[in-house]
Amino acid sequence: MTLQVPDYIRSLVPYVPGKPIEETQREYKIKKVVKLASNENPLGPSPKAVAAIRKYLSQLHRYPDASGFGLKQALSASEGVFSQNLVLGNGSNEIIDLLIRTFCVAGESIVIHRAAFVAYQICAQIHGVSTLVAPIDDGLKCNLDALIHLVKSTESVKLVFLANPNNPTGVYLSRSELDRFFREMMLIRGGSVLVVLDDAYGEYITAPDCPNPKEFLKDYPHLVILRTFSKVYGLAGLRVGYGIASAEIVALLEKVRQPFNLSSLALIGAIAALQDREFVEESLKMNQVGMKLWEAKLLAMGVPFWKSQGNFILIDAQAGFGLSGVDLFQKCLTQGVILRPVANYGLAQALRISIGTPAENQRALKVLEKLLKR
Ligand SMILES: Cc1ncc(COP(=O)(O)O)c(C=O)c1O
């Protein structure tokens, strides 16, 4: 008997994570492997978070606080919003899923742009929700007019997802571009379409005209901001993310959320990480120095790249090395350097490199320079 499963589940292409270090060590028999593939914090986890987690271990027989009271209080103070405006997720990925489950039914749609973070489309498909894709320009930047047109012309659209800066391109939408976008969105079906601004890399932004998404909360009531502890706080393995939105939106998401979606260690670790300003500052500084190094070296090597506001940089492997992103990835892998091909984002020519420690950056650069000379 054939298993009964919806077509949209059968045809699902699952998320492909960065290749693990251990797997690469095993396959290529290389002891020292450098992973610059998942936009993690190369400095490791926040030491304050690690200490707080250690201290809490004897309490693991207790269920976590299902309301996340302590973390919401801490975030309320750091973000300058009320607790009622915060929803916690098992990584911001869970909130993407939660938003689609809460606001869409099968057959409805979300809108993204080409080369957007793949989780949006995957989460939508899991729930039988279709994804409409707006085009991008030569600089890999979203064509906002085309996106607005898609929303306007399709009644079934319930959600728009925009990451700023975007992963994997690192490019961003400016304050004036987003300002105009939200004004246009207000004119579509009374501003009822939810807009999700994914701020996963917000802490790394250095461009003065790249806005803090909170600037738009008062003008667009149906805005949801996503943030994460996976990047600058160094807690990708702990799985903590959160959303900022109106109390009305948060109350709906809270109905759908599993009560214990964050473990007690995740709650405790995130509170401590928020207070670890020293670690955050050090992480940001390391990223800025590393980004400058990559930009300068790539320029010197004649390898084109897209200027990034994140903790990663996307290079044009085809133009720089005469290789597809996957082929260059494979060649680096044999040298013990894991980078991230992005063909699944429709960018077969490109390869994404996370900014590492100075030693990791040097190692990866050495491998790329050697490949260039051949
Ligand atoms: C744009 C974007 N949003 C969300 C996430 C997911 O982050 P989390 O680890 O909080 O689930 C990522 C992770 O790489 C990302 O790049």
Side-chain angles (χ1 to χ4, degrees):
M1 207 185 351
T2 43
L3 211 49
Q4 296 294 301
V5 64
D7 282 345
Y8 54 81
I9 297 295
R10 209 176 273 290
S11 61
L12 198 64
V13 180
Y15 181 74
V16 184
K19 194 170 172 72
I21 291 179
E22 295 76 16
E23 195 177 294
T24 311
Q25 286 170 325
R26 232 180 10 253
E27 285 176 10
Y28 295 90
K29 308 210 174 0
I30 301 173
K31 267 208 192 110
K32 282 198 127 188
V33 168
V34 165
K35 183 184 174 198
L36 299 177
S38 297
N39 301 345
E40 294 150 339
N41 189 327
L43 265 183
S46 145
K48 285 203 170 137
V50 174
I53 287 170
R54 279 220 177 92
K55 218 165 129 194
Y56 196 82
L57 290 177
S58 64
Q59 300 299 308
L60 282 183
H61 57 303
R62 303 282 180 207
Y63 277 97
D65 172 5
S67 72
F69 179 82
L71 180 54
K72 282 194 180 176
Q73 288 287 104
L75 284 171
S76 173
S78 68
E79 292 285 6
V81 298
F82 294 110
S83 283
Q84 303 93 284
N85 299 119
L86 291 163
V87 60
L88 304 177
N90 192 276
S92 51
N93 240 310
E94 192 198 21
I95 304 179
I96 296 168
D97 187 69
L98 205 52
L99 280 161
I100 292 168
R101 275 196 287 147
T102 306
F103 292 104
C104 302
V105 295
E108 291 185 330
S109 329
I110 65 161
V111 174
I112 62 168
H113 59 78
R114 206 165 78 72
F117 183 46
V118 281
Y120 311 140
Q121 182 273 323
I122 293 174
C123 288
Q125 191 174 340
I126 287 169
H127 300 294
V129 171
S130 53
T131 299
L132 309 177
V133 184
I136 47 177
D137 63 22
D138 289 344
L140 306 187
K141 194 158 158 172
C142 171
N143 180 330
L144 280 175
D145 285 326
L147 188 142
I148 290 165
H149 177 74
L150 274 178
V151 181
K152 205 183 272 181
S153 59
T154 322
E155 283 281 333
S156 67
V157 170
K158 292 287 146 46
L159 278 161
V160 174
F161 284 92
L162 286 171
N164 207 35
N166 182 53
N167 172 23
T169 59
V171 305
Y172 71 98
L173 294 161
S174 70
R175 178 173 290 112
S176 60
E177 286 168 322
L178 280 174
D179 204 48
R180 186 176 72 83
F181 166 74
F182 281 115
R183 269 187 277 124
E184 296 269 344
M185 287 297 294
M186 275 309 280
L187 303 176
I188 303 173
R189 300 191 277 287
S192 62
V193 177
L194 263 82
V195 175
V196 182
L197 278 188
D198 187 338
D199 197 33
Y201 301 95
E203 293 90 349
Y204 295 103
I205 293 168
T206 53
D209 64 336
C210 186
N212 183 327
K214 280 189 291 192
E215 291 174 27
F216 303 105
L217 273 173
K218 60 179 190 322
D219 295 328
Y220 198 77
H222 291 139
L223 169 62
V224 181
I225 297 165
L226 298 186
R227 307 203 65 201
T228 181
F229 283 82
S230 297
K231 308 296 166 187
V232 82
Y233 295 101
L235 298 178
L238 203 58
R239 312 304 303 130
V240 190
Y242 60 99
I244 306 175
S246 71
E248 189 190 3
I249 292 173
V250 167
L252 290 164
L253 294 171
E254 286 287 348
K255 284 188 186 199
V256 180
R257 178 179 70 82
Q258 293 285 333
F260 303 117
N261 60 334
L262 266 77
S263 73
S264 41
L265 298 185
L267 292 167
I268 292 288
I271 293 170
L274 261 186
Q275 288 150 5
D276 205 346
R277 288 314 305 168
E278 209 180 300
F279 177 78
V280 169
E281 294 307 326
E282 200 184 339
S283 304
L284 294 178
K285 209 164 143 202
M286 179 179 274
N287 191 67
Q288 278 169 25
V289 172
M291 183 66 85
K292 280 208 178 96
L293 174 80
W294 274 100
E295 287 179 353
K297 291 279 185 183
L298 290 167
L299 265 173
M301 288 159 73
V303 176
F305 61 89
W306 286 269
K307 192 144 177 62
S308 168
Q309 290 295 313
N311 62 346
F312 56 88
I313 190 162
L314 189 72
I315 66 166
D316 191 332
Q318 197 65 55
F321 295 83
L323 293 169
S324 71
V326 174
D327 286 345
L328 183 58
F329 159 76
Q330 287 293 351
K331 285 197 186 294
C332 293
L333 213 50
T334 62
Q335 305 299 307
V337 172
I338 314 172
L339 305 175
R340 187 69 163 265
V342 286
N344 56 334
Y345 287 84
L347 301 169
Q349 79 281 27
L351 190 63
R352 195 191 70 192
I353 303 166
S354 303
I355 307 301
T357 60
E360 289 171 334
N361 294 332
Q362 290 299 349
R363 168 92 183 272
L365 276 163
K366 223 172 174 178
V367 167
L368 288 174
E369 277 165 351
K370 222 165 86 186
L371 287 169
L372 202 62
K373 279 188 195 130
R374 277 187 193 162

